[in-house]
């Protein structure tokens, strides 16, 4: 039979893990879980200027789901994701492979240089690119005038999504590259010897050995990028005054939720829009993981 | 009107409790130490985005040692409106005094956020302010929901040199403006006389206002008439659609660097802008400094010499503040005190709304380097006297501006009909108002 002293000690030591968890848990609950429940609660009501607040159940969800403005935003980010995410990850992968190879010198310089745009706050990046895109006095326009070609119309309806994609790619290529580069560093070096003994060149080695080994890191990048795409907000928000006729309040689902909250004071509908957006992100991420896991065979 | 009821009950409770407490403190202080100031000093908070406002606040506190004012810049536009809405909803956290854009006056009145300070000394000031601005802060029953602070009578601020070269000296009517625009394009094929900045809701509203449009009428607390596409607005929209179709005006949106550079380099040679505009433009016009002039907006016929308004604000007392009396004193001081008001236009460049200032020689004759050492305040001051008093904003003006911006701004950029855009805006706004519980009539 254990002594009372020992019993008390073991009870205390049983508490220790929870104490370590507490800071995270408290912040997680107060900053994430509670606000989510509150937003869900809000989404079930409707506050009106006349008639006060009433319980409406799932009506806000039905309104949002039947709202073409919301789906237009979803379509925008979906198109954006399908085109921009592969381009960005492809670039990041190529850069990471180049950095990891023995092809280049001054490796740490290039690594920092590629990563640098990520250190620029997205708001600043969008402002700078907005200036570069200027239809009359932006540097690209000036350049086009000088060499006598048609002015680029970065802020026009047909270009705007890709102009934003360019900003996002510029910002996040380096970030993704660093993740992939770190994974490449973990690839055992003796594999390289083995591969070269088997007669594989550097490209074959990269394609057949390195790539399969860093697939999990690539999936991670892809998931982050998909989530980031659906949350697209800063760049369109900053470009809006320069392209107000093509970036509407519903250009992305987040922009729509923002506008519903801050412009038309429809916080309840905004809460429903947020939940639907989160659900869509969840479904897309889930499908992607299932699809990727099935397609990649032995590496997962 | 659940929210409003709740708020007023809450306000009444707070007032009575605090009134009792406050009365007690005052009585005790008066009995014990009648000389003391600190014991019964009242503390109030004010939200405003006017730069360097502390100057005038200090002046106020110097003259009113019994009131201590804490100044908070809670942002401008949507951010401030949302904070104020939230504070009203929560029943706490709202300031005692708040700067309200004129176009949001109706919105915050309707949700019961503003106190009637008519009985607190504001009613007597009516005759001292520009008539139409007073109309924006008061109602027919004599309630006064704010002291006018500044306004934005509109005029054309233009490049004197470029207009001279095109032989344009005056533009009495909008029909004349069409001709002037064509003439300007002929002289300067690479430039435009002005830009159709329909991507700015305040700008378009100013143009519609001038033409006599009456887009909103709050009939009672639950009934509203909406007609953003009324005949006057349609006439304006049709006119600008034609100008855009004929490539006589530029379609790019305002409020971005490319636009400012276009103005500075003469690519766009004028901006139809409010009285606060020249000082703003001075900040980004370096190449063209000194070349600018101002002329009145063209009118819709000689029998209709009205101008439009864009912007302006009032100083309101927040409903339910326990310190309504002190708050009203601050509002009245900032808006009505001659010294403070003079400082506001000289130092902070608020366009004045006090008749005494608008008529004063120092204001009318003030010169600016922007104008090459000339003065054009009289153009805006005269415009200020011709603005339609009966124009009403909606009780959800944030959303109205955004709707106008996306519909009209989009149509201007894509070269489609602005009249159709107005019809779409009308449908959107009517549906929104119904969703908000209003009965909407045409």
């Amino acid at each position: 039979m254990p002594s009372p002293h020992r019993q008390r000690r073991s009870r205390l030591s049983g508490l220790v893990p929870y104490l370590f968890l507490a800071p995270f848990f408290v912040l997680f609950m107060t900053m994430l879980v509670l606000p989510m429940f509150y937003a869900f609660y809000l989404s079930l009501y409707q506050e009106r200027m006349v008639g006060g607040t009433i319980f409406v159940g799932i009506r806000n969800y039905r309104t949002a789901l039947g709202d073409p403005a919301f789906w237009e935003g979803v379509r925008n980010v979906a198109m954006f994701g399908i085109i921009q995410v592969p381009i960005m990850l492809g670039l990041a992968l190529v850069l990471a492979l180049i950095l990891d190879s023995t092809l280049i010198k001054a490796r740490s310089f290039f690594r920092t240089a590629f990563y640098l745009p990520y250190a620029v706050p997205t708001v600043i990046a969008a402002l700078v690119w907005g200036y570069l895109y200027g239809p009359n006095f932006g540097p690209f326009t000036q350049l086009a005038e000088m060499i006598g070609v048609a002015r680029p119309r970065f802020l026009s309806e047909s270009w705007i999504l890709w102009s934003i994609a360019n900003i996002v790619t510029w910002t996040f290529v380096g970030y993704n590259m660093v993740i992939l580069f770190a994974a490449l560093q973990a690839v055992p070096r003796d594999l390289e010897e083995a591969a070269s003994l088997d007669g594989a060149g550097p490209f074959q080695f990269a394609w057949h050995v390195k790539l399969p080994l860093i697939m999990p890191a690539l999936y991670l990048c892809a998931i982050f990028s998909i989530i980031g795409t659906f949350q697209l907000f800063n760049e369109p928000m900053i470009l809006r005054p320069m392209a107000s006729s093509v970036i509407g309040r519903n250009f992305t689902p987040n922009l729509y939720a923002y506008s519903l909250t801050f412009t038309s004071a429809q916080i309840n509908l905004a809460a429903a829009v947020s939940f639907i957006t989160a659900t869509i992100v969840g479904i897309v991420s889930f499908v992607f993981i299932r699809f990727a896991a099935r397609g990649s065979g032995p590496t997962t | 009107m659940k929210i409003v009821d709740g708020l007023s009950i809450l306000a009444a409770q707070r007032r009575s409790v605090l009134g009792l407490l406050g009365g007690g403190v005052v009585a005790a202080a008066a009995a014990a130490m009648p000389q003391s100031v600190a014991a019964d000093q009242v503390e109030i908070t004010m939200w405003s985005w006017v730069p360097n406002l502390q100057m005038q606040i200090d002046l106020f506190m110097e003259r009113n040692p019994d009131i201590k004012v804490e100044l908070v810049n809670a942002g401008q536009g949507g951010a401030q409106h949302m904070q104020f809405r939230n504070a009203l909803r929560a029943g706490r956290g709202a300031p005692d005094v708040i700067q309200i854009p004129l176009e949001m006056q109706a919105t915050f009145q309707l949700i019961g956020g503003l106190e009637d300070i008519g009985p607190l000394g504001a009613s007597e000031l009516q005759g001292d302010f520009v008539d139409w601005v007073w109309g924006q802060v008061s109602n027919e029953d004599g309630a006064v929901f704010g002291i006018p602070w500044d306004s934005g009578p509109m005029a054309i601020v233009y490049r004197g040199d470029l207009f001279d070269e095109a032989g344009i000296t005056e533009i009495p009517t909008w029909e004349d403006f069409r001709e002037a625009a064509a003439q300007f394009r002929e002289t300067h094929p690479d430039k435009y006389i002005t830009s159709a900045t329909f991507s700015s809701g305040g700008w378009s509203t100013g143009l519609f206002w001038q033409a006599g449009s009456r887009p909103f009428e709050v009939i009672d607390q639950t009934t509203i008439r909406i007609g953003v596409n009324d005949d006057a607005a349609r006439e304006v929209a049709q006119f600008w659609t034609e100008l855009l179709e004929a490539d006589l005006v530029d379609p790019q949106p305002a409020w971005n660097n490319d636009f400012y550079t276009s103005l500075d380099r003469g690519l766009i040679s004028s901006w139809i802008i409010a009285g606060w505009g020249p000082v703003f433009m001075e900040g980004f016009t370096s190449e063209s400094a000194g070349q600018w002039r101002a002329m009145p907006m063209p009118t819709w016929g000689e029998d209709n010499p009205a101008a439009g308004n864009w912007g302006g604000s009032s100083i309101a007392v927040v409903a339910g503040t326990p310190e309504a009396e002190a708050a009203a004193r601050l509002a009245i001081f900032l808006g009505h005190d001659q010294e403070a008001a003079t400082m506001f236009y000289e130092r902070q460049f608020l366009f004045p709304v006090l008749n005494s200032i608008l008529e004063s020689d120092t204001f009318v004759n003030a010169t600016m380097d922007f104008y090459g050492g000339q003065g054009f305040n009289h153009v805006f001051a005269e415009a200020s006297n011709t603005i339609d008093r009966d124009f009403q904003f909606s009780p959800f003006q944030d959303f109205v501006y955004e709707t106008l911006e996306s519909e009209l701004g989009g149509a201007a950029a894509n070269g489609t009909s602005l009249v159709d855009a107005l019809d779409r805006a009308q449908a959107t706004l009517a549906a929104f108002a119904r969703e908000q519980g209003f009965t909407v009539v045409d």
Side-chain angles (χ1 to χ4, degrees), chain B residues 112-196:
Chain B
L114 309 181
E115 183 90 11
D116 173 14
I117 52 170
L120 296 171
S123 294
E124 300 146 29
L125 312 176
Q126 173 166 5
D128 297 343
F129 288 96
V130 175
D131 189 49
W132 74 264
V133 187
W134 191 262
Q136 295 292 318
V137 298
S138 58
N139 68 15
E140 286 155 2
D141 308 329
V144 183
F145 293 101
I147 303 292
W149 206 357
D150 71 319
S151 72
M154 292 167 81
I156 303 184
V157 176
Y158 66 98
R159 282 282 296 274
D161 50 344
L162 298 174
F163 272 48
D164 282 350
E165 282 163 30
I168 301 165
T169 48
E170 54 165 12
I171 311 177
T173 68
W174 282 108
E175 262 328 299
D176 298 328
F177 185 86
R178 191 199 303 266
E179 276 166 39
Q183 203 175 317
F184 189 91
R185 286 288 279 164
E186 232 163 77
T187 316
H188 306 287
D190 56 337
K191 297 180 171 67
Y192 289 96
I193 191 168
T194 198
S195 186

Side-chain angles (χ1 to χ4, degrees), chain A residues 18-297:
Chain A
Y18 295 103
L19 284 174
F20 276 110
L21 272 177
F24 163 78
F25 189 73
V26 168
L27 285 176
F28 179 69
M29 288 305 286
T30 53
M31 301 290 149
L32 211 82
V33 177
L34 282 178
M36 255 172 63
F37 275 106
Y38 183 59
F40 181 68
Y41 162 82
L42 282 179
S43 72
L44 301 177
Y45 287 80
Q46 190 195 10
E47 186 187 323
R48 297 179 301 172
M49 299 184 81
V50 178
T53 304
I54 48 169
F55 180 80
V56 294
I58 60 162
R59 212 185 83 181
N60 287 321
Y61 290 89
R62 285 167 63 175
T63 307
L65 287 172
D67 182 355
F70 170 68
W71 289 110
E72 199 184 310
V74 173
R75 199 163 55 239
N76 276 344
V77 289
M79 249 167 66
F80 183 97
I82 290 169
I83 311 266
Q84 188 266 343
V85 173
I87 292 178
M88 174 179 70
L89 293 184
L91 267 175
L93 182 65
V94 169
L95 290 177
L97 285 170
I98 292 175
L99 278 183
D100 187 58
S101 75
T102 50
L103 292 173
I104 60 156
K105 300 198 165 67
R107 189 180 300 178
S108 62
F109 167 77
F110 283 108
R111 198 174 52 205
T112 315
F114 291 146
Y115 188 70
L116 211 57
Y118 181 67
V120 178
T122 52
V123 171
I124 309 287
L127 281 171
V128 171
W129 278 102
Y131 160 73
L132 296 176
Y133 288 161
N136 291 311
F137 297 103
F140 291 120
T141 305
Q142 310 252 349
L143 192 70
E145 300 266 278
M146 254 165 59
I147 57 176
V149 297
R151 292 175 170 198
R153 295 168 64 243
F154 292 110
L155 301 175
S156 62
E157 195 165 3
S158 46
W159 286 43
I160 189 72
L161 203 59
W162 314 119
S163 301
I164 294 173
N166 175 49
I167 304 177
V168 175
T169 306
W170 178 83
T171 310
F172 287 98
V173 157
Y175 168 81
N176 288 297
M177 179 211 70
V178 165
I179 295 178
L180 297 175
F181 179 69
L184 283 171
Q185 296 278 291
V187 173
R189 294 289 129 178
D190 46 349
L191 286 181
E192 190 165 5
E193 259 172 63
S196 68
L197 278 177
D198 287 342
F203 290 103
Q204 283 171 312
F205 176 59
W207 185 254
H208 292 291
V209 181
K210 285 183 178 178
L211 192 58
L213 283 173
I214 63 161
M215 265 314 194
L218 203 55
Y219 293 147
L220 184 80
C221 290
I223 291 289
F224 283 172
S225 301
I226 289 169
I227 294 171
T229 299
F230 273 90
Q231 294 186 340
L232 199 61
F233 179 79
N234 282 349
E235 292 83 359
M237 184 75 185
I238 298 291
L239 290 184
R240 232 180 142 190
M242 303 162 212
S244 41
S245 55
V246 295
I247 302 180
R249 67 186 319 224
N250 58 329
F251 190 74
T252 74
N254 264 12
L255 208 59
Y256 194 37
Y258 172 87
S259 171
L260 286 172
T261 309
F262 287 93
T263 305
S264 48
Q266 294 166 288
I267 50 166
N268 311 97
L269 185 55
V273 163
S274 306
F275 268 92
I276 296 171
T277 309
T279 309
I280 295 175
V281 175
I283 292 171
V284 172
S285 305
F286 179 76
V287 168
F288 176 81
I289 291 170
R290 287 301 293 264
F291 170 77
R294 195 166 298 166
S296 65

Side-chain angles (χ1 to χ4, degrees), chain B residues 56-90:
Chain B
Q56 285 91 349
I57 297 283
D58 287 343
L59 190 65
F60 173 77
M61 290 197 286
E62 207 180 288
R63 300 231 192 118
N64 299 273
D66 56 327
I67 302 175
K68 186 171 181 293
V69 183
E70 195 200 337
L71 184 60
V72 176
N73 185 344
Q76 186 178 0
Q80 189 223 26
H81 308 159
M82 190 68 207
Q83 272 204 62
F84 187 39
R85 278 182 211 273
N86 284 344
L88 290 172
R89 190 183 292 127

Side-chain angles (χ1 to χ4, degrees), chain B residues 281-424:
Chain B
M281 291 171 75
E282 197 171 28
F284 60 77
T285 47
S286 50
E287 281 184 23
S288 57
Q291 301 288 357
W292 295 90
R293 310 286 179 264
M295 65 162 77
M297 274 173 100
T299 61
W300 291 100
E302 271 143 39
D303 50 335
N304 185 12
N309 178 74
W310 177 11
S313 67
S314 76
I315 314 158
V317 171
V318 177
T321 165
E323 306 296 352
E325 196 267 340
R329 264 161 70 196
L330 175 62
I332 290 171
F333 171 85
L334 292 175
H336 190 261
D337 181 84
Q338 203 69 22
E339 192 181 343
T342 306
M343 279 163 85
F344 279 125
Y345 89 78
E346 282 182 347
R347 312 281 284 277
Q348 283 119 329
F349 309 109
L350 299 188
F351 191 85
V353 285
L354 268 178
N355 288 324
S356 56
I357 302 237
L358 283 165
E359 287 156 11
S360 74
D361 288 343
T362 46
F363 173 75
V364 174
N365 299 327
T367 60
M368 273 174 77
D369 292 341
F370 173 76
Y371 292 132
Q374 305 184 59
F376 286 95
N377 278 349
H378 63 276
V379 172
F380 292 98
E382 279 157 25
S384 169
N385 284 324
T386 62
I387 291 164
D388 178 8
R389 188 189 203 278
D390 295 325
F391 183 91
Q392 279 189 34
F393 287 102
S394 73
F396 37 81
Q397 194 62 29
D398 273 340
F399 184 61
V400 172
Y401 274 180
E402 192 174 78
T403 305
L404 291 178
E405 281 160 14
S406 79
E407 292 297 354
L408 298 175
N414 302 331
T416 54
S417 164
L418 291 162
V419 181
D420 295 349
L422 272 180
D423 289 342
R424 290 194 298 272

